[in-house]
Each structure stands twice: as structure tokens, then as C-alpha cells.
Amino acid sequence: MRASHPGRRQVLALLGGAPAFAAAHPAKAQGEPRRGGVLRVSAPTNPSTLDPMTGSAGSDHIYLYTLYDTLVEWEPATLEPRPGLAESWAWPDPTTLVLNLRQGVVFHDGTPLDAEAVKFNLDRARTDPSSNVKPDLASLRAVRVTGPLQVALDLLQPDTALPLILSDRAGMIVSPAAVKERGSRHDRDPVGSGPWRFVSWADNEKVIVTRNERYWKPALPYLDGIEIQVIGEVNTGLRSVITGQNDFVYFLAPQQKPIIDRAKNLVLVSGPTLWCIQIYLNYGRKPLDDVRVRRALNYAIDRIAFNKATANGLAEPAMLNLPASHWAFDQAMADANSYDPDKARHLLAEAGYKDGFDLDIQGTSDQRSIQREEVLIEQFQKAGIRAKFTNGVIPNSTTQFFVEKKHDAYLSSWTGRPDPTQTYQLLFSKDGFYNAGRAGPVPELIGALLDTRKDQAIADRKQAFARLQKLVTENALVVPLQFQFEMDAHTARLHGFRPNLLGKPRFENVWLDT
Amino acid sequence: MNNKGQMIGRRLLQIAPVIVLATFVVFGLLQLVPGDIAVTLAGENATDARIVQIRQTYGLDQPFLVQYGHWLWNAAHLDLSRSYLSNEPVLDQILHRFPTTLLIVAVALLISLIIGVPLGIVAATRPGSRLDTVVTSFASLGVALPNFWLAMILVATFALTWNIFPATGAVAFGKDPAKALLHAALPAFALAAGGIAEVARQLRSALIEILSSQYVRTLHAKGLSPTAILWKHGLKNVSVTLLTVVGLLINRLLGATVVVEAVFAIPGMGSLIVHAAIHKDFPVVQGVVLAMVVVVICMNLLIDMLYAILDPRVGRT
């Protein structure tokens, strides 16, 4: 399995040779950081909003990270939690989380970021009608201010996923004064405490931020500002970097690597992410309500070949729901979904589909998705599964499968969450939106999900996730296929950029040659 | 003048039913497309309850005709509603983006005329010659070339290889006219290829017909020089044909910007409607359609008025 699950550094070295290695050792290869300059970024999507509570798209984070700090941060390579605005946290009992906030942090409008501000934010996130992060804070019963820089979170049940949940939208702290003054206008005129403050947003055109002179992290940020230009088509975005109109482009596809290699002025940066290409299953109806059929789907896929054919090997075959470099990855289960078409046929025969069956799959009409479909059709065929895809644009396909309950399965992706509990909860809990059939075929799953929120130590939580992953895999609740690599290209004048496992670029430590 | 006034009045009366018909058809088509913007707005943490709440908030749970009637009533009061996605007033979005598209269309039209008219004249004055063959072949090629393909070739050559023009984006004309024109040059040229061909071909055939007519023969017999005949009599008579071509060309160019704006990442009307249509952001789609319909009707009206000026017979009918 070593070859199919290379370590992060191996992956970086394999991918881009010297440039990728440089990305893994920024200080050594790129000299001393310097202040100044405006970074120009090509982004494929417009933000949904710039308020972390009301926004709806996973692609918003590149904008949000410039404007907001989070209560908790994570290690880029593993997503293990580390202090953020909360310089420490403690669990006096299993249902109380105490956050000790950093001193001297102020919002861009000059108001203090203190315990009252944090309480305001968490109460707003869990009660405001326009909140899109309520499910993240479902375990929160009350927030108490226990000191000028201390809040206590009273929980309905133990929830040790909370620290990492607070490294995402729910933990991005906005200025209460700005929200009270601006109301819904805060969506487009936001005030946070992050490394840069908001300047302007021309819809579907450009977002501009400028240095927060009172930022609490010493010497950061290096950049005077960032201009993020919205260029919906990534090939066009890449062209803008080749011609020097922009400095950085992300969300590139493996197929674009030769173009980056040919452009002598570009540096390729890449690394594994949680972003999983997978087939969602509606196990609330026939034929996928039968675990044998679902398991057959998993055995029918040769993930190594799939990875080679659809990503030129520049991605990680997904055996489970987490990539190999994640702290909760369970090596013991890594072979559970190995390619075995004979076993797939045998399981189908057992389930009464001796001559195979027709599988009606929703797909999306983009070029890369079509390519994946072609490979899957061929691989499924070898196990007697006749896959038929119906394609549409992503918003329409998502509605058809998850809301209108059309089709047996859906070839799409899961972008991942900072805490794995969120992933398993949203994908597999009985009332989870991404559980299309709203079915609960595994009663033990509820307990296993709760177990992942009980323990505080990472090692103990890892054991709980191993048990949960075993249930998910044995019951074949999803068909994971491939973890996408974050693929970014930047000009040679940019230094210090490091990819992260969440696959969402951050620029606090980036600097430019003047 | 009375007749001209009646003609303008008739055209103006057509505006309201055309707008209602166009926006109703587009709204109906949007309803047929699968998908639900409430799911997009609910985002990655979507729950069934949140989706229902969003549908109620935006009135998406209302019957089709009620939703359309509500939009039409507001539009009649010059309120084009707000975008579901960005919550910005649709009118502001249109006013912000329309000048960008208009600049590209104007430059494309200018290029079409500057190159197309001389080519048409040269071909018409030497019918059957090698030059005529070259112009006619070029015109056929211009019509046949897909403008998105030409756009990509232009980017690869003039932006990526030679680095003369920017590969993407747009600059407001009012902010920096020179930069705005530099950004508009490649997309306008990609759009203009078909326009050049169309202008050259139409002008050639109209001019050949006029130059071979009996009154031109009389002019020759009276001793007028070929140059005088061409400039004083030939071109004046083909101006109506040219005007028709220009009118059609403007309408076609406005539509073609949808594709070219995508290639060059230009924040114009085309990219606005594509993004809105994909996400079923219907106030934006309706607003853009309304704006386009108004522009096309006004353009046609202007052309009709110019007809009447150039050819007095038009005003008398």
C-alpha cells in the first residue's frame, strides 16, 4: 500500500520536482520574507457572501481567511488543531469547553475582540435565521462569558469535535459592532480581525483587501494587500498567471500540469487534500438498499487504474473517507475496498443479480467528470454492472439527487471538513442532507458517531474514527474514488506558500519579491 | 414627418408586448430546467429545514405565475429586484456590467466596418479578379470560423507568446480609456471576424448590383470618372444595405459576447447571465433579458429612423 499512499513530502517531491520541493521548504529555498507588494490571485468562484455565518460555498474560504481569524487553527499538513484566537482551551467536564482568548486582539473597526464578542458570534451562529452554520453548533446549549477573555461553552452532549469545528466558519469571529450597525449589509461589507481588512468587492469581478496594520501576529502579514480576480474558467485563470496579469491561480487540474511545466516562469505547488471524488449512494431504495450490492460497487472499482486514467496519477486513490496523511486515517482498513471484480460478481449473484443490473447514476457535465464516467462505465461492466449516467450542471444535479431523490447514485465530490466528525455526520447520519435516502441502515452508526465526540486526546479519537470508518466501509455507505490534490501555480516572485490538507489556500505567510 | 412619427409610435408600442413575451418565455424555460437555487443558498451545511426556510423567504414556494407576476409588477415600477446569490440590486449589476459589453461590441463593430467596407468596395469594383476571389474567400472563412476558437488562437499568439495584449479581464473606459481599449482589442477582434466577412460580402453584392445598373452606365456615358461614380452615387445607394447589415450585426454581436466573455474572463453581460442561469438566479436572468430586449428594440428603432433619413421613400410608406 505504500505506493498508493505516499506521504505528503513524497507526494510533493514526486509531483513537481524542484519547485514542489521548494514549496515544502519555503524558508530554505526562498530566502528571508520581506514586507510589501500586492498579491494578485485568480479565483474560479465569486464568494457567496463575505460573512462566514451567512455564506454557503466551500470555495469562499480563500476570501474569508484573508479577513477573519478563527478561534482555533489547524496544522496545514495534518489538520491537527492548534491555538488561534483562543490561545488555549480546556474541558473541565465532558460537556463544558472553556476557551481562553488572546489578549490585545482588535477588529478592523478598532473594537476589541473579547469574550463578549465571541459570545455574540457563537449565539448569532446558532440562532440567527440567516445562519448556515447552525448544524455545526448543534451540540451547543449556551455560551457564558466567564471573564473578559474567557468563554465557557455549555454543551448538550460531549463534543470534542468542537475545537476543529471552531477552526471553520463557526469559529470565524466578526465585529459585533459592525454586524449591529450594518445588518445584512455586513455580507458585502465585512469587518473581522484577520491579516487584511476589506476594501471592495465588485461582484464576479474582484475582491480587494489591504493590510491590517494592527494584526496581532508579529511581523505578519507580509503582503500589503491582495486582489482576488474572479475568473470562472481555470484555464483562463492559468493564462492570466502565465502572462503576468496575476501571481497565483488554484484549483487547477492534473491535466494542466504540462502547461505549467512548459511555462518557464511558473512554479507548481501541490499536495493531498480531503477533497474526495466519490459516488454518493441512495440506500433508501432498491437496488442499493442491499448491502451486498453496495459492497459490489466498491469491489468493482480499480482505484489505482482509475487514478492513473483520470488524474495522470496526480491524486490519491481513495480507499476510505480520509486521505492517508490525515491524523484520523486508519491504516488497518486501507485494503478493505481493494479491487476484486470476482467478489463483486459473487456478491451481486448472492443479492439476486446474477446477470448484473442497471445502475442509474447522476453525473455532472464538466469534461473531467465525463472522463471519470467513461472509466467507471468500463470498470463496472467487468463486474456486470451496467452504469448509465445522466449529466447536468452541478447545482441542478445536486438538487435532482439530494432533494428530488432521482437516480440511484451521484458521481460528485465531498470537499471535506476540518473535523472528520462533520464529514461522517453530514454524509451518513439518518437526517443528513447528503444521505439522499434519509435511511439509517446501520443502527450502530449513531453510537459510533457519538463516540468520535467523546474523547479529548487525538489518539483516542483516532480509535473512535477507526471504529466508525469500519462500519461505513463494511456497510459500503459510499464509494470513495480519489482524493484530489491541491494544484496551484504561481509566478517565481511569490514565496512562502504552503498547500494545506483542506485544499483552501491561505496567504498569511506569503511574500513577494519587490 | 407625420408618417415618421407614426412609425416611431408603432415601434414604441411594440416594446411592452415584446418585453412581456420575452421575459415570460425565459422565465418559463428557467422553470423547466432542473435545479433549485435554495439548495445553492443553503450551502454545504444544507438541511431540509433550511432549504424550506429559504424557499419561503424568497417566495420560491409560490406558484409559477405568482412569481412571474410579482417580478413583472416590480419591473413595471423600475424595480428589477435583487440577485438571490449576491443580494445586490439587479439594476446596479446591469448598469455596472453593460458598459464593458458595449465597449467590446462597439470596437468589434468599428473593426468590422473599417476592414469590411474597404474589402467590399475593392471586391465590387474588380468583380471576378484575383483580389475579388481573395476577399470572397476571406469572407467565407470569417463567417465559418467559430469566434471562441479564434479567441483562443488570438490569446495564445498575442497574449501568451508575444505578450502584446492582456489575456483576461477588462478595464472601465471611464477609468483608463487606453487600457480599456487594450483589454477590449482581442475579444473585439475575435467577435469582428464574422462581422468583417458579413459587411464585405453584403457590400460587395449590393455595390456590384448598383455599379452594373443602367443609370450608372448613363453616368459613365456622361463622362463622370469611375471614382466619382463610386463615391457620389454607388456608396450612397448601398448605405441602406450597409445600415441593415450594421443593425443585424449589433444584435448578433451582443449575443456572441456570451462565449467570448467566458474565454477572456470579462465581467460583462454575457458572463452575468450565464452565471445566473446556471444557478437559477432568476431576477438576474430576467433583468439581463429585459435589458437586452430594450437595447435591441432601441437599436432597431434607431436603424428604422436612419432608413427614413437616408431613403425618404421609407418615411412615406
Side-chain angles (χ1 to χ4, degrees):
Chain A
M1 284 320 294
R2 201 174 164 78
S4 58
H5 296 294
R8 179 179 177 76
R9 195 155 289 175
Q10 286 169 286
V11 166
L12 288 166
L14 278 169
L15 264 180
F21 188 70
H25 301 274
K28 196 172 165 185
Q30 299 168 346
E32 287 303 307
R34 54 205 309 170
R35 281 168 76 92
V38 173
L39 177 71
R40 298 158 307 163
V41 177
S42 166
T45 49
N46 192 46
S48 57
T49 76
L50 289 176
D51 185 318
M53 187 199 74
T54 59
S56 58
S59 50
D60 290 347
H61 287 69
I62 188 166
Y63 301 93
L64 299 175
Y65 287 145
T66 65
L67 300 166
Y68 302 103
D69 288 312
T70 48
L71 288 168
V72 176
E73 294 183 2
W74 33 251
E75 291 296 335
T78 60
L79 291 187
E80 285 177 83
R82 69 182 188 194
L85 288 171
E87 59 185 1
S88 66
W89 57 88
W91 296 90
D93 61 74
T95 55
T96 309
L97 171 63
V98 173
L99 300 173
N100 298 306
L101 303 174
R102 209 169 282 278
Q103 200 163 22
V105 182
V106 289
F107 290 108
H108 301 150
D109 59 5
T111 55
L113 196 161
D114 54 13
E116 289 292 348
V118 172
K119 176 178 165 54
F120 174 88
N121 272 266
L122 294 177
D123 283 342
R124 178 176 178 247
R126 69 196 182 90
T127 58
D128 195 287
S130 62
S131 172
N132 276 336
V133 294
K134 277 181 199 166
D136 281 348
L137 298 175
S139 63
L140 201 54
R141 186 166 56 82
V143 182
R144 285 181 290 124
V145 173
T146 48
L149 293 172
Q150 191 183 67
V151 285
L153 278 56
D154 296 328
L155 310 181
L156 295 165
Q157 62 198 38
D159 190 0
T160 50
L162 260 185
L164 272 173
I165 287 174
L166 296 176
S167 73
D168 205 6
R169 283 179 181 275
M172 291 180 184
I173 304 300
V174 306
S175 159
V179 169
K180 284 172 192 164
E181 181 211 329
R182 299 170 196 194
S184 65
R185 282 191 298 115
H186 187 267
D187 284 356
R188 301 188 64 87
D189 190 8
V191 179
S193 66
W196 295 274
R197 61 190 165 78
F198 176 73
V199 176
S200 65
W201 172 12
D203 208 39
N204 270 303
E205 259 186 83
K206 196 178 270 187
V207 173
I208 300 175
V209 296
T210 190
R211 177 194 297 282
N212 170 13
E213 296 289 357
R214 289 182 286 189
Y215 193 51
W216 58 274
K217 286 187 185 174
L220 293 179
Y222 300 123
L223 299 169
D224 285 343
I226 306 176
E227 293 184 8
I228 308 178
Q229 189 188 355
V230 182
I231 300 180
E233 218 277 310
V234 283
N235 283 308
T236 311
L238 179 57
R239 285 200 291 273
S240 76
V241 177
I242 293 172
T243 56
Q245 275 182 274
N246 284 315
D247 302 300
F248 185 91
V249 60
Y250 60 103
F251 279 171
L252 297 172
Q255 286 79 354
Q256 287 164 313
K257 186 175 179 290
I259 302 170
I260 301 165
D261 291 342
R262 273 202 304 274
K264 288 169 190 147
N265 59 337
L266 292 197
V267 176
L268 171 73
V269 183
S270 185
T273 71
L274 297 179
W275 189 309
C276 189
I277 304 295
Q278 61 185 33
I279 306 176
Y280 292 84
L281 308 176
N282 185 340
Y283 38 85
R285 66 182 205 181
K286 283 188 180 306
L288 297 183
D289 58 345
D290 188 325
V291 65
R292 293 167 296 189
V293 179
R294 300 198 300 267
R295 288 178 70 192
L297 295 182
N298 267 306
Y299 290 128
I301 292 164
D302 180 352
R303 289 169 172 80
I304 310 290
F306 178 85
N307 197 42
K308 275 184 193 156
T310 61
N312 303 332
L314 300 176
E316 180 183 329
M319 302 296 175
L320 307 172
N321 295 91
L322 295 168
S325 48
H326 193 275
W327 60 267
F329 179 79
D330 181 22
Q331 186 63 46
M333 288 295 291
D335 290 330
N337 280 330
S338 291
Y339 178 52
D340 194 341
D342 292 335
K343 200 168 178 180
R345 266 193 299 272
H346 179 72
L347 280 165
L348 286 180
E350 248 182 55
Y353 299 104
K354 194 168 171 288
D355 300 321
F357 74 105
D358 296 321
L359 185 65
D360 175 18
I361 309 179
Q362 174 76 53
T364 52
S365 45
D366 56 287
Q367 198 182 345
R368 292 190 65 198
S369 187
I370 302 287
Q371 192 187 11
R372 291 182 194 117
E373 290 173 11
E374 284 166 359
V375 177
L376 288 173
I377 287 170
E378 198 189 324
Q379 293 197 354
F380 276 141
Q381 215 163 24
K382 287 180 184 162
I385 302 161
R386 296 178 292 276
K388 192 192 86 183
F389 284 89
T390 307
N391 295 320
V393 292
I394 294 172
N396 298 353
S397 297
T398 302
T399 305
Q400 289 219 307
F401 185 70
F402 293 115
V403 180
E404 295 169 13
K405 320 288 183 203
K406 290 180 179 168
H407 311 287
D408 302 322
Y410 179 25
L411 172 62
S412 184
S413 63
W414 176 253
T415 55
R417 296 291 185 277
D419 194 279
T421 299
Q422 294 168 285
T423 289
Y424 291 95
Q425 181 85 34
L426 287 162
L427 290 179
F428 308 120
S429 64
K430 193 165 184 275
D431 54 353
F433 177 75
Y434 299 95
N435 174 354
R438 305 292 189 270
V442 193
E444 306 95 295
L445 199 78
I446 300 164
L449 265 168
L450 287 174
D451 284 350
T452 65
R453 294 173 179 257
K454 270 184 188 162
D455 298 310
Q456 292 166 27
I458 286 281
D460 295 333
R461 292 196 74 203
K462 189 175 171 176
Q463 294 303 315
F465 279 114
R467 291 192 292 275
L468 179 59
Q469 180 68 68
K470 192 163 184 277
L471 280 175
V472 169
T473 306
E474 283 176 354
N475 289 283
L477 300 180
V478 66
V479 183
L481 297 170
Q482 180 184 68
F483 288 105
Q484 301 282 80
F485 279 170
E486 175 181 347
M487 288 196 66
D488 317 312
H490 63 75
T491 53
R493 75 186 199 112
L494 184 148
H495 306 284
F497 178 78
R498 289 181 70 191
N500 60 66
L501 199 51
L502 212 52
K504 298 176 178 179
R506 306 183 68 139
F507 302 112
E508 300 98 292
N509 298 305
V510 164
W511 72 94
L512 291 168
D513 289 336
T514 47
Chain B
M1 191 59 207
N2 266 349
N3 286 334
K4 281 179 194 168
Q6 279 176 7
M7 184 196 75
I8 293 168
R10 274 201 308 276
R11 290 281 190 275
L12 288 173
L13 279 176
Q14 287 170 1
I15 291 181
V18 170
I19 286 174
V20 171
L21 190 69
T23 54
F24 184 79
V25 168
V26 170
F27 187 74
L29 286 173
L30 270 184
Q31 299 296 312
L32 293 176
V33 176
D36 185 352
I37 192 166
V39 176
T40 306
L41 293 174
E44 45 183 13
N45 280 349
T47 60
D48 293 337
R50 178 81 179 122
I51 291 168
V52 170
Q53 184 201 354
I54 290 171
R55 282 200 194 116
Q56 284 169 350
T57 305
Y58 290 100
L60 297 167
D61 53 346
Q62 299 286 316
F64 164 78
L65 283 175
V66 173
Q67 287 185 50
Y68 178 73
H70 191 244
W71 176 83
L72 193 63
W73 177 256
N74 287 338
H77 292 82
L78 299 179
D79 173 11
L80 295 185
S81 312
R82 284 173 178 268
S83 159
Y84 289 153
L85 289 173
S86 70
N87 201 29
E88 274 202 305
V90 173
L91 188 62
D92 289 0
Q93 290 191 321
I94 291 170
L95 291 177
H96 178 66
R97 282 166 172 257
F98 192 63
T100 307
T101 300
L102 200 62
L103 178 68
I104 296 167
V105 170
V107 176
L109 185 67
L110 210 63
I111 295 172
S112 304
L113 292 175
I114 289 173
I115 301 177
V117 170
L119 285 181
I121 293 171
V122 165
T125 49
R126 295 171 183 79
S129 68
R130 200 171 289 174
L131 197 65
D132 181 28
T133 313
V134 170
V135 170
T136 320
S137 310
F138 175 77
S140 302
L141 195 68
V143 171
L145 281 181
N147 50 33
F148 68 87
W149 177 84
L150 184 62
M152 285 193 273
I153 297 296
L154 291 173
V155 169
T157 311
F158 294 100
L160 296 183
T161 311
W162 294 346
N163 222 343
I164 301 170
F165 293 100
T168 61
V171 172
F173 190 78
K175 204 173 168 187
D176 186 339
K179 254 192 174 174
L181 288 172
L182 198 69
H183 274 82
L186 288 187
F189 197 82
L191 280 177
I196 294 169
E198 215 167 307
V199 169
R201 283 167 73 96
Q202 296 290 346
L203 195 66
R204 176 187 172 275
S205 66
L207 205 53
I208 284 176
E209 196 183 323
I210 284 169
L211 293 179
S212 59
S213 64
Q214 288 191 353
Y215 85 89
V216 171
R217 202 185 308 159
T218 310
L219 293 173
H220 277 294
K222 283 173 76 179
L224 256 70
S225 72
T227 314
I229 293 170
L230 176 69
W231 290 98
K232 282 187 183 168
H233 301 277
L235 288 180
K236 193 176 175 186
N237 278 294
V238 295
S239 58
V240 172
T241 308
L242 193 61
L243 204 58
T244 309
V245 175
V246 167
L248 293 171
L249 197 57
I250 291 171
N251 297 344
R252 199 176 59 78
L253 289 173
L254 277 171
T257 52
V258 171
V259 177
V260 171
E261 281 181 11
V263 176
F264 289 95
I266 293 165
M269 296 286 272
S271 52
L272 182 65
I273 197 170
V274 168
H275 188 255
I278 286 173
H279 290 93
K280 295 194 86 177
D281 190 356
F282 103 85
V284 176
V285 176
Q286 294 289 85
V288 174
V289 169
L290 177 68
M292 289 295 195
V293 167
V294 169
V295 168
V296 169
I297 288 174
C298 290
M299 198 53 65
N300 290 347
L301 188 64
L302 184 71
I303 299 285
D304 284 348
M305 285 161 69
L306 288 174
Y307 276 158
I309 293 168
L310 287 171
D311 186 351
R313 288 172 299 179
V314 175
R316 288 200 293 268
T317 53

